[in-house]
Short mmCIF file of all heavy atoms in Angstrom, two decimals:
data_model
loop_
_atom_site.label_atom_id
_atom_site.label_comp_id
_atom_site.label_asym_id
_atom_site.label_seq_id
_atom_site.Cartn_x
_atom_site.Cartn_y
_atom_site.Cartn_z
N SER M 1473 -6.05 57.23 -65.52
CA SER M 1473 -4.97 57.20 -66.53
C SER M 1473 -4.54 55.80 -66.89
O SER M 1473 -4.42 55.43 -68.05
CB SER M 1473 -3.75 57.98 -66.06
OG SER M 1473 -4.02 59.32 -65.82
N PHE M 1474 -4.50 54.92 -65.87
CA PHE M 1474 -4.12 53.57 -66.09
C PHE M 1474 -5.24 52.83 -66.89
O PHE M 1474 -4.91 52.06 -67.82
CB PHE M 1474 -3.89 52.84 -64.76
CG PHE M 1474 -3.62 51.35 -64.87
CD1 PHE M 1474 -2.41 50.87 -65.22
CD2 PHE M 1474 -4.66 50.45 -64.68
CE1 PHE M 1474 -2.16 49.52 -65.37
CE2 PHE M 1474 -4.47 49.03 -64.84
CZ PHE M 1474 -3.20 48.61 -65.18
N LEU M 1475 -6.44 53.05 -66.52
CA LEU M 1475 -7.53 52.36 -67.19
C LEU M 1475 -7.66 52.81 -68.61
O LEU M 1475 -7.90 52.04 -69.55
CB LEU M 1475 -8.87 52.63 -66.46
CG LEU M 1475 -9.03 52.01 -65.06
CD1 LEU M 1475 -10.32 52.54 -64.38
CD2 LEU M 1475 -9.05 50.52 -65.13
N THR M 1476 -7.49 54.14 -68.85
CA THR M 1476 -7.47 54.67 -70.16
C THR M 1476 -6.41 54.05 -71.06
O THR M 1476 -6.63 53.78 -72.24
CB THR M 1476 -7.26 56.16 -70.14
OG1 THR M 1476 -8.30 56.82 -69.31
CG2 THR M 1476 -7.35 56.79 -71.54
N ALA M 1477 -5.23 53.77 -70.51
CA ALA M 1477 -4.11 53.24 -71.21
C ALA M 1477 -4.34 51.74 -71.62
O ALA M 1477 -3.73 51.30 -72.56
CB ALA M 1477 -2.84 53.30 -70.42
N GLN M 1478 -5.28 51.09 -70.97
CA GLN M 1478 -5.49 49.64 -71.24
C GLN M 1478 -6.51 49.42 -72.28
O GLN M 1478 -6.49 48.35 -72.95
CB GLN M 1478 -5.95 48.91 -69.94
CG GLN M 1478 -5.06 49.12 -68.70
CD GLN M 1478 -3.60 48.91 -69.03
OE1 GLN M 1478 -3.20 47.91 -69.60
NE2 GLN M 1478 -2.80 49.89 -68.60
N ILE M 1479 -7.42 50.32 -72.54
CA ILE M 1479 -8.49 50.06 -73.47
C ILE M 1479 -8.16 50.54 -74.88
O ILE M 1479 -7.22 51.34 -75.04
CB ILE M 1479 -9.81 50.77 -72.99
CG1 ILE M 1479 -9.61 52.29 -72.99
CG2 ILE M 1479 -10.24 50.24 -71.68
CD1 ILE M 1479 -10.88 53.04 -72.67
N SER M 1480 -8.78 49.94 -75.83
CA SER M 1480 -8.53 50.34 -77.25
C SER M 1480 -9.28 51.64 -77.59
O SER M 1480 -10.12 52.11 -76.85
CB SER M 1480 -8.96 49.21 -78.18
OG SER M 1480 -10.38 49.10 -78.19
N LYS M 1481 -9.03 52.17 -78.79
CA LYS M 1481 -9.59 53.41 -79.18
C LYS M 1481 -11.11 53.29 -79.42
O LYS M 1481 -11.83 54.28 -79.38
CB LYS M 1481 -8.98 53.93 -80.48
CG LYS M 1481 -9.11 53.00 -81.70
CD LYS M 1481 -8.45 53.57 -82.91
CE LYS M 1481 -8.64 52.63 -84.11
NZ LYS M 1481 -8.01 53.19 -85.32
N ASN M 1482 -11.63 52.03 -79.64
CA ASN M 1482 -13.06 51.90 -79.85
C ASN M 1482 -13.85 51.61 -78.49
O ASN M 1482 -15.05 51.54 -78.54
CB ASN M 1482 -13.25 50.70 -80.78
CG ASN M 1482 -12.76 50.92 -82.16
OD1 ASN M 1482 -12.82 52.10 -82.68
ND2 ASN M 1482 -12.21 49.98 -82.84
N ASP M 1483 -13.07 51.45 -77.44
CA ASP M 1483 -13.70 51.20 -76.13
C ASP M 1483 -13.96 52.60 -75.46
O ASP M 1483 -13.26 53.57 -75.69
CB ASP M 1483 -12.80 50.38 -75.23
CG ASP M 1483 -12.59 48.98 -75.84
OD1 ASP M 1483 -13.45 48.55 -76.60
OD2 ASP M 1483 -11.52 48.43 -75.63
N LEU M 1484 -14.94 52.61 -74.56
CA LEU M 1484 -15.30 53.90 -73.92
C LEU M 1484 -15.25 53.69 -72.42
O LEU M 1484 -15.83 52.78 -71.85
CB LEU M 1484 -16.72 54.28 -74.29
CG LEU M 1484 -16.96 54.52 -75.81
CD1 LEU M 1484 -18.44 54.73 -76.12
CD2 LEU M 1484 -16.13 55.70 -76.30
N LEU M 1485 -14.56 54.62 -71.70
CA LEU M 1485 -14.36 54.56 -70.27
C LEU M 1485 -15.11 55.70 -69.58
O LEU M 1485 -15.09 56.87 -70.06
CB LEU M 1485 -12.87 54.67 -69.95
CG LEU M 1485 -12.52 54.76 -68.47
CD1 LEU M 1485 -12.88 53.49 -67.72
CD2 LEU M 1485 -10.98 55.00 -68.28
N PHE M 1486 -15.88 55.44 -68.53
CA PHE M 1486 -16.64 56.39 -67.78
C PHE M 1486 -16.32 56.26 -66.31
O PHE M 1486 -16.08 55.22 -65.79
CB PHE M 1486 -18.09 56.14 -67.97
CG PHE M 1486 -18.55 56.06 -69.40
CD1 PHE M 1486 -18.43 54.91 -70.10
CD2 PHE M 1486 -19.13 57.19 -70.04
CE1 PHE M 1486 -18.85 54.82 -71.48
CE2 PHE M 1486 -19.47 57.04 -71.39
CZ PHE M 1486 -19.35 55.91 -72.09
N ARG M 1487 -16.34 57.48 -65.61
CA ARG M 1487 -16.33 57.37 -64.16
C ARG M 1487 -17.76 57.60 -63.64
O ARG M 1487 -18.41 58.59 -63.87
CB ARG M 1487 -15.46 58.50 -63.60
CG ARG M 1487 -15.31 58.42 -62.07
CD ARG M 1487 -14.66 59.71 -61.49
NE ARG M 1487 -14.60 59.62 -60.05
CZ ARG M 1487 -14.44 60.67 -59.21
NH1 ARG M 1487 -14.31 61.86 -59.78
NH2 ARG M 1487 -14.43 60.52 -57.95
N MET M 1488 -18.25 56.55 -62.94
CA MET M 1488 -19.62 56.57 -62.55
C MET M 1488 -19.81 57.34 -61.20
O MET M 1488 -20.61 58.22 -61.09
CB MET M 1488 -20.11 55.13 -62.33
CG MET M 1488 -20.01 54.37 -63.64
SD MET M 1488 -21.04 55.05 -64.92
CE MET M 1488 -22.65 54.60 -64.40
N THR M 1489 -19.10 56.92 -60.13
CA THR M 1489 -19.16 57.55 -58.80
C THR M 1489 -17.71 57.75 -58.32
O THR M 1489 -16.82 57.66 -59.10
CB THR M 1489 -19.94 56.73 -57.83
OG1 THR M 1489 -19.35 55.41 -57.66
CG2 THR M 1489 -21.42 56.44 -58.31
N GLY M 1490 -17.64 57.93 -57.01
CA GLY M 1490 -16.27 58.14 -56.46
C GLY M 1490 -15.23 57.09 -56.84
O GLY M 1490 -14.11 57.43 -57.26
N VAL M 1491 -15.59 55.80 -56.68
CA VAL M 1491 -14.62 54.71 -56.88
C VAL M 1491 -15.02 53.73 -57.93
O VAL M 1491 -14.39 52.65 -58.04
CB VAL M 1491 -14.35 54.01 -55.54
CG1 VAL M 1491 -13.65 54.94 -54.52
CG2 VAL M 1491 -15.62 53.41 -54.98
N THR M 1492 -16.03 53.99 -58.70
CA THR M 1492 -16.49 53.00 -59.68
C THR M 1492 -16.32 53.56 -61.10
O THR M 1492 -16.55 54.79 -61.33
CB THR M 1492 -17.97 52.62 -59.41
OG1 THR M 1492 -18.77 53.82 -59.44
CG2 THR M 1492 -18.09 51.93 -58.12
N PHE M 1493 -16.02 52.72 -62.02
CA PHE M 1493 -15.85 53.04 -63.44
C PHE M 1493 -16.62 52.10 -64.28
O PHE M 1493 -16.85 50.92 -63.86
CB PHE M 1493 -14.39 53.00 -63.84
CG PHE M 1493 -13.48 53.97 -63.02
CD1 PHE M 1493 -12.97 53.61 -61.78
CD2 PHE M 1493 -13.15 55.24 -63.51
CE1 PHE M 1493 -12.15 54.47 -61.08
CE2 PHE M 1493 -12.35 56.06 -62.86
CZ PHE M 1493 -11.87 55.68 -61.62
N MET M 1494 -17.00 52.45 -65.46
CA MET M 1494 -17.64 51.62 -66.44
C MET M 1494 -16.84 51.69 -67.74
O MET M 1494 -16.35 52.72 -68.18
CB MET M 1494 -19.07 52.08 -66.76
CG MET M 1494 -20.14 51.70 -65.70
SD MET M 1494 -20.65 50.02 -65.82
CE MET M 1494 -22.11 50.15 -64.79
N ILE M 1495 -16.72 50.51 -68.36
CA ILE M 1495 -16.09 50.43 -69.69
C ILE M 1495 -17.10 49.75 -70.63
O ILE M 1495 -17.60 48.65 -70.31
CB ILE M 1495 -14.83 49.56 -69.62
CG1 ILE M 1495 -13.74 50.22 -68.70
CG2 ILE M 1495 -14.21 49.49 -71.07
CD1 ILE M 1495 -12.47 49.35 -68.61
#
Side-chain angles (χ1 to χ4, degrees):
S1473 299
F1474 174 81
L1475 294 173
T1476 302
Q1478 307 312 311
I1479 62 176
S1480 68
K1481 62 179 181 180
N1482 294 324
D1483 301 329
L1484 301 172
L1485 175 63
F1486 306 83
R1487 184 190 177 200
M1488 300 297 288
T1489 61
V1491 294
T1492 58
F1493 300 84
M1494 282 282 195
I1495 300 177

